[in-house]
Amino acid sequence: MVRKAQSANRKGLAKNTTQEAKLDAAVAACIQRDTATHPASKKTIAKLAQEFDVKYLSLWHRLQPEGQRSHAEALVANQKLSPSKEKKLLEIILEFSNCGLPLTPSDIHTYALYMANSRKQGWSRKITLGQNRVGNFIDRHHHTLSTHWSSPLDSKRTSALTPQAVECHFLCIKETQEMYGIIPENDYGMDESNIMVGFSRKQRVVRWRGAKQQHSRRDGSRESYTVVKTICADGTVLKPSIIYKAKQFVKEWGLPENNLIQAQICRSDRGFMDGVLSLGWITFFDAQTREKARGKYCRLFVDNHTSHCTVKFLRYVVANKIMNLWNEERDRIEKDKAIRVCKLNFIVVYGCVHEKAFTLDLVKKAFEKIGIHPFNPEVITHKMMAPSKAHSMETGAPLTLPSPIHAIRNAVLASLIPIQQHPLTPLRTEPQID
């Protein structure tokens, strides 16, 4: 198995450790020689140095009464941080790592500089630390510390994934599943993906030996399209919706010979989902799931985008009982047909990707991965929730809300659910949208 190459400092530390072990063994042999009674068994320092493969002067200095310091002792004496402070710095680094937000070398340098200058009162000399000190510190503690490339994490997700929020989330899933009798055939999840057609992935190429930089041509266009995908817990996939950024709709976008996956084609000024398109999309969703639901409730998982929380969107939901292949296919199309991907042919390229990506096993595994089907709250481990540790706190019971708050809450619910219609009625009526 190929491992990460060691730094020159790590190799030097390992070499010095081996040399120190040989030198200690040679010193022990010299002490044993001095205690021997038979003159023939006594060896000179030069012979012992040759036997243990150490330098004669190093062994001679180590045997002197004042004694030469070992390499480890010399390192401790030259360190700017005392052993106790270095131990404390190591504890700080490990604590941040346990929280899922490890420190950068620059952060460690700042902590070490602060600890090195936190001396007693009257100490006026300011200690400075070189940038190599952090690397040396990591190398000295290589059995505990190592460096890795971090992955980005949104600050809102860092604060939101708390144990209390996860417990409430799965409690809500369980309650709605039992209350409305949700079965896997009626459990859906949707998400939006933005695809930039002008950017390609890295490719392995064959070049002249010794050549430095090699490039792959790309279109460079920053035009992007939004694809809204919906999957079901039973492994089926609904027809997608594609949103183009345009001022007017062009009928050639959705020609039957190109739209083999029967996707819904939309357009918006910004190219993203908005309040109007969200209502059209939920209608498109209901048309595909109405016959399959057979009057039962459907559960739909959406993100917290404002377009999914409009009053019209929620009214329709209540009234109708609804609770990287891209780059490869795009490159193949552009190479074989020598055409540029645009609004007129985008759906052809995406149609091939859609059929390859959304397989039955992959869709089922997606619901299993997030703990919905089968229901498993343990999929979110304490390690995943570690970044939110600094934002979590235990509190007492909340105060009782005043009556005006209750009045506002009841008014909002009344605007979503008509008073004369019970939310659990089995009848499906057309939505009344203002």
Side-chain angles (χ1 to χ4, degrees):
M1 179 179 178
V2 179
R3 296 185 178 181
K4 183 179 178 181
Q6 294 183 351
S7 63
N9 192 28
R10 279 276 302 277
K11 294 178 181 178
L13 288 174
K15 183 178 179 181
N16 290 332
T17 303
T18 304
Q19 197 67 17
E20 284 293 329
K22 295 180 179 179
L23 198 56
D24 291 339
V27 171
C30 288
I31 296 175
Q32 185 179 2
R33 179 206 62 173
D34 295 338
T35 58
T37 57
H38 198 279
S41 61
K42 293 185 178 182
K43 297 181 181 179
T44 62
I45 298 178
K47 288 185 177 180
L48 288 174
Q50 185 178 5
E51 180 180 345
F52 287 93
D53 192 20
V54 295
K55 294 182 179 180
Y56 169 78
L57 286 178
S58 299
L59 181 58
W60 184 85
H61 284 297
R62 188 65 64 88
L63 293 173
Q64 298 307 307
E66 60 276 5
Q68 188 183 30
R69 292 183 302 180
S70 64
H71 185 266
E73 294 172 345
L75 285 177
V76 173
N78 292 330
Q79 290 176 11
K80 300 294 182 70
L81 293 179
S82 63
S84 59
K85 289 185 177 181
E86 185 161 314
K87 181 180 179 181
K88 183 63 177 178
L89 179 60
L90 181 62
E91 292 176 356
I92 293 174
I93 297 173
L94 296 179
E95 180 66 22
F96 273 94
S97 179
N98 291 334
C99 292
L101 299 171
L103 298 176
T104 63
S106 178
D107 296 333
I108 298 175
H109 183 271
T110 302
Y111 273 100
L113 191 62
Y114 174 79
M115 297 175 69
N117 287 282
S118 59
R119 300 291 185 103
K120 297 180 180 180
Q121 294 183 356
W123 185 270
S124 59
R125 181 186 174 187
K126 186 177 181 180
I127 299 178
T128 58
L129 298 176
Q131 292 297 331
N132 292 334
R133 292 277 181 174
V134 177
N136 296 340
F137 176 84
I138 296 174
D139 289 334
R140 286 198 302 274
H141 300 278
H142 64 274
H143 295 294
T144 307
L145 303 177
S146 62
T147 58
H148 297 275
W149 290 104
S150 63
S151 56
L153 181 64
D154 191 86
S155 59
K156 293 183 179 179
R157 294 190 178 186
T158 304
S159 306
L161 195 62
T162 61
Q164 295 82 2
V166 172
E167 182 181 0
C168 183
H169 168 73
F170 281 102
L171 180 62
C172 180
I173 291 178
K174 186 176 182 181
E175 287 180 351
T176 55
Q177 189 165 341
E178 295 175 353
M179 182 182 302
Y180 299 103
I182 303 297
I183 57 178
E185 289 77 7
N186 293 335
D187 226 349
Y188 298 90
M190 65 85 69
D191 195 13
E192 306 172 35
S193 296
N194 187 260
I195 301 176
M196 298 190 71
V197 298
F199 287 80
S200 60
R201 60 186 174 88
K202 289 184 177 180
Q203 294 178 328
R204 184 174 291 276
V205 297
V206 181
R207 66 178 185 181
W208 183 274
R209 179 176 293 277
K212 298 298 181 183
Q213 286 189 335
Q214 301 292 305
H215 304 281
S216 296
R217 290 186 300 175
R218 66 181 185 185
D219 181 74
S221 172
R222 294 185 177 273
E223 188 175 11
S224 62
Y225 311 127
T226 300
V227 180
V228 184
K229 308 168 294 296
T230 309
I231 59 177
C232 183
D234 64 354
T236 57
V237 183
L238 302 186
K239 300 172 185 177
S241 296
I242 300 176
I243 305 174
Y244 293 147
K245 181 181 179 180
K247 296 292 183 181
Q248 295 180 350
F249 189 88
V250 180
K251 63 179 181 179
E252 284 79 7
W253 292 345
L255 292 176
E257 57 268 23
N258 295 335
N259 192 1
L260 300 179
I261 57 176
Q262 300 179 357
Q264 181 189 41
I265 309 299
C266 314
R267 69 103 196 148
S268 69
D269 294 340
R270 300 180 59 186
F272 298 100
M273 180 80 76
D274 54 22
V276 176
L277 291 182
S278 66
L279 185 61
W281 176 85
I282 195 64
T283 307
F284 183 60
F285 168 84
D286 183 46
Q288 298 181 76
T289 59
R290 181 185 294 268
E291 182 179 355
K292 184 180 178 182
R294 297 180 181 179
K296 297 181 181 180
Y297 274 89
C298 294
R299 184 169 58 180
L300 175 64
F301 292 90
V302 299
D303 54 26
N304 61 347
H305 194 270
T306 54
S307 62
H308 307 147
C309 303
T310 62
V311 174
K312 292 183 178 181
F313 184 92
L314 296 177
R315 280 182 178 176
Y316 192 98
V317 167
V318 172
N320 290 274
K321 302 168 63 173
I322 302 173
M323 296 280 307
N324 283 328
L325 290 168
W326 160 252
N327 284 325
E328 297 178 1
E329 191 66 26
R330 189 272 315 278
D331 293 343
R332 185 186 66 82
I333 292 291
E334 291 187 345
K335 181 179 179 181
D336 294 347
K337 298 185 178 182
I339 59 174
R340 173 178 169 270
V341 176
C342 59
K343 292 185 179 71
L344 295 177
N345 54 23
F346 170 78
I347 194 171
V348 178
V349 184
Y350 177 75
C352 301
V353 176
H354 185 86
E355 295 177 351
K356 292 180 181 179
F358 293 97
T359 61
L360 180 67
D361 294 337
L362 188 61
V363 172
K364 286 185 176 181
K365 189 176 294 184
F367 281 87
E368 180 183 353
K369 187 74 174 178
I370 59 178
I372 296 180
H373 287 289
F375 182 76
N376 181 22
E378 302 299 327
V379 294
I380 300 181
T381 62
H382 291 284
K383 188 176 181 180
M384 296 179 182
M385 294 183 284
S388 66
K389 186 177 180 180
H391 306 277
S392 304
M393 62 180 299
E394 295 288 344
T395 60
L399 298 175
T400 304
L401 297 176
S403 56
I405 302 298
H406 286 287
I408 296 175
R409 174 181 175 274
N410 295 334
V412 173
L413 293 178
S415 66
L416 297 178
I417 305 176
I419 302 298
Q420 67 274 14
Q421 179 187 359
H422 194 276
L424 297 181
T425 178
L427 298 177
R428 296 181 70 102
T429 58
E430 295 300 324
Q432 301 296 326
I433 302 175
D434 296 336

